[in-house]
Amino acid sequence: MSRSPVPRPGRALAGLTAVAACSAGLLAAPAPASAAPDPARARAAGTYPNLAPRPPMGWNNWSYYMCDLNEKTVLDNARALVRTGLAGKGYRTVTIDDCWMSRARGSRGELVADPVKFPHGMAYLGRQLHRMGLKFGIYEDVGTLTCEKFPGSLGHFQEDAAQFAGWKVDYVKADGCNVPVAPGHTKEETYRDLYGQMSRALRDTGRPITFSVSAPAYFQFDGDSVWHQVIGWSAEVGNLWRGGRDVALQQSTPAVKWSSIVYNFRYNAKLSGLQRPGRWNDPDFLLAGDTGLTREEIQSQMSLWAMMAAPLISSTDVTDLSDRARAVLGNRNVIAVDQDALGVQGHLVQQDDGSAVLAKPLKNGDTAIALFNSGAAARTLSVTAAAAGLPRAGSYRLHELVTGRRTRSDGDIVARDVPPHSTVLYRVTPG
């Protein structure tokens, strides 16, 4: 299949900063007047409604298909979500990413779906998804252009939000490419203002539209203080936010994909203190599927994402999903850890260069504990009950959520001979 040659900021493992990655877009036409930050207008946006009490789940085309998407691809994957039972397990939001629109706006300034890729238009696509019991997600950008150089929303926030509401969109992912910084204003001020404008525009439609903010991904390399500041206001203007680099694309080698999963896990695991129930850190897509990764690797990503209360958004070809990938994505016990009503992101309790242990309190008093071997050789991993934050008890019941095996422990939580790139995920009950 064809692949877009244009790299996306935060979407490669080349180590480019977000500023450098989107600098080419700043050579576009002069910024509209609305590009100048207005702090009062940003504050007026207020706190976005809590439309995602649990981490969102669903499917997005980007990592697997990139710009090679069309109406049939989207609807075929949507039907596959229903047919495989994944929709019934929570994977219900189907989001089309960049490249869905025409290169120019219409005569009234409106966004126009690519007539070849989407001959029936976006309202039709939304109707078809809703008839399947699914939700409709769409992509835009707060800058002058999207990452792939399609029309951005800067200067059109109200009109675009109204258009999305008219199409019955349920979820908007807003990227941050090609954002011109006005003289005398900082990059952070500019992003805060533009995302605040889009947030307010979506609220003003009166339609409940879950809002995914990409702003923090453009500040990951600017230093922790400003990065964390951007995450802080992202939690006010939206429901979830992309924190840093994207996971690797389908065209990447399995080794690069695995490296990207580990990288995203490591940065996101350190952000647990910035997440709160209903406001989610998003370390990007799940790669379970025909991606060249091993069963252990796709299971590790699923288990670690569940421990971090991350959105579970698959980006693969669901129409040709292997039995092992379907089993990983559809494991109800692992999904329950991710979707737990307490809404807490698991925190790191110990780590070294080749392993990490996370603990996550659950609503019913249980604790989920993940022991992750990121190294190249099998090893035994363990953590004490005290270090994992378990309440004192004479013993603990351990339910291994992937194999289903049940054991007991009088103290330490141990996973023996954990294979390379594997994660053992326990649900631990005192008693």
Side-chain angles (χ1 to χ4, degrees):
M1 60 183 68
S2 63
R3 297 297 186 191
S4 167
V6 183
R8 304 187 65 168
R11 298 198 171 215
L13 298 174
L16 296 175
T17 67
V19 178
C22 70
S23 61
L26 299 182
L27 301 178
S34 59
D38 183 342
R41 181 169 53 198
R43 287 194 297 271
T47 301
Y48 203 72
N50 186 15
L51 301 177
R54 309 286 174 92
M57 297 176 63
W59 177 87
N60 180 297
N61 66 276
W62 181 257
S63 183
Y64 192 88
Y65 295 96
M66 296 181 69
C67 287
D68 191 14
L69 79 160
N70 55 43
E71 180 181 285
K72 182 179 186 303
T73 297
V74 174
L75 292 179
D76 283 352
N77 275 275
R79 295 184 188 103
L81 287 174
V82 176
R83 184 179 66 252
T84 59
L86 290 173
K89 294 178 179 179
Y91 296 89
R92 296 190 186 96
T93 299
V94 173
T95 302
I96 54 172
D97 213 283
D98 206 348
C99 307
W100 63 266
M101 61 183 93
S102 296
R103 291 286 179 184
R105 289 178 177 268
S107 59
R108 301 184 304 278
E110 76 278 13
L111 294 170
V112 179
D114 184 308
V116 175
K117 293 179 177 179
F118 296 94
H120 297 96
M122 292 297 107
Y124 168 85
L125 185 66
R127 286 195 300 271
Q128 297 307 305
L129 294 173
H130 290 151
R131 286 170 182 167
M132 296 182 217
L134 304 174
K135 295 183 178 181
F136 177 26
I138 205 164
Y139 168 100
E140 241 297 358
D141 193 291
V142 299
T144 56
L145 298 168
T146 72
C147 298
E148 299 297 320
K149 306 301 187 289
F150 292 87
S153 279
L154 199 155
H156 298 271
F157 291 116
Q158 293 290 339
E159 302 96 313
D160 291 353
Q163 195 168 10
F164 295 153
W167 290 339
K168 307 300 184 206
V169 166
D170 305 295
Y171 181 107
V172 167
K173 174 184 175 181
D175 219 330
C177 277
N178 304 306
V179 171
V181 178
H185 296 277
T186 68
K187 174 185 166 186
E188 185 274 330
E189 288 172 336
T190 302
Y191 274 74
R192 182 170 188 167
D193 175 63
L194 296 184
Y195 275 98
Q197 289 188 58
M198 180 169 274
S199 176
R200 179 60 178 268
L202 292 172
R203 291 180 65 193
D204 286 351
T205 67
R207 181 172 177 79
I209 300 175
T210 300
F211 188 26
S212 172
V213 173
S214 292
Y218 292 84
F219 291 82
Q220 184 185 8
F221 304 101
D222 292 357
D224 283 351
S225 59
V226 67
W227 185 32
H228 292 177
Q229 180 181 348
V230 173
I231 291 174
W233 57 252
S234 294
E236 297 301 316
V237 302
N239 304 116
L240 63 154
W241 49 89
R242 284 294 322 287
R245 293 177 182 170
D246 287 21
V247 296
L249 301 168
Q250 171 64 9
Q251 64 195 31
S252 303
T253 66
V256 168
K257 290 173 186 175
W258 174 245
S259 178
S260 76
I261 288 170
V262 174
Y263 177 89
N264 283 21
F265 160 70
R266 286 177 176 163
Y267 84 68
N268 196 73
K270 298 175 183 177
L271 301 178
S272 60
L274 301 177
Q275 179 262 7
R276 63 179 186 267
R279 306 286 164 158
W280 312 107
N281 290 315
D282 181 4
D284 209 21
F285 306 130
L286 296 171
L287 298 185
D290 179 21
T291 57
L293 294 167
T294 68
R295 168 66 181 262
E296 290 78 16
E297 289 168 344
I298 63 175
Q299 182 63 67
S300 277
Q301 189 189 19
M302 181 71 179
S303 296
L304 295 171
W305 265 228
M307 284 294 294
M308 296 188 295
L312 300 180
I313 301 173
S314 173
S315 188
T316 188
D317 180 2
V318 188
T319 69
D320 190 26
L321 206 58
S322 68
D323 290 342
R324 68 174 187 170
R326 186 165 60 250
V328 169
L329 289 171
N331 187 318
R332 291 186 184 275
N333 290 325
V334 177
I335 292 171
V337 171
D338 180 79
Q339 298 286 296
D340 184 73
L342 200 59
V344 173
Q345 176 171 328
H347 60 282
L348 286 165
V349 296
Q350 64 186 48
Q351 63 178 325
D352 58 32
D353 288 343
S355 71
V357 178
L358 295 88
K360 172 183 170 72
L362 304 175
K363 179 73 172 178
N364 74 335
D366 289 352
T367 300
I369 297 178
L371 302 101
F372 171 42
N373 176 13
S374 61
R379 60 184 294 189
T380 294
L381 303 175
S382 66
V383 63
T384 65
L390 294 171
R392 290 188 177 183
S395 65
Y396 302 94
R397 299 195 302 274
L398 278 59
H399 182 195
E400 209 284 289
L401 299 184
V402 175
T403 66
R405 183 168 176 260
R406 296 178 184 269
T407 56
R408 276 187 173 273
S409 172
D410 293 333
D412 292 356
I413 309 302
V414 180
R416 301 189 185 282
D417 299 320
V418 181
H421 301 181
S422 294
T423 300
V424 173
L425 179 58
Y426 288 122
R427 187 172 185 126
V428 181
T429 304

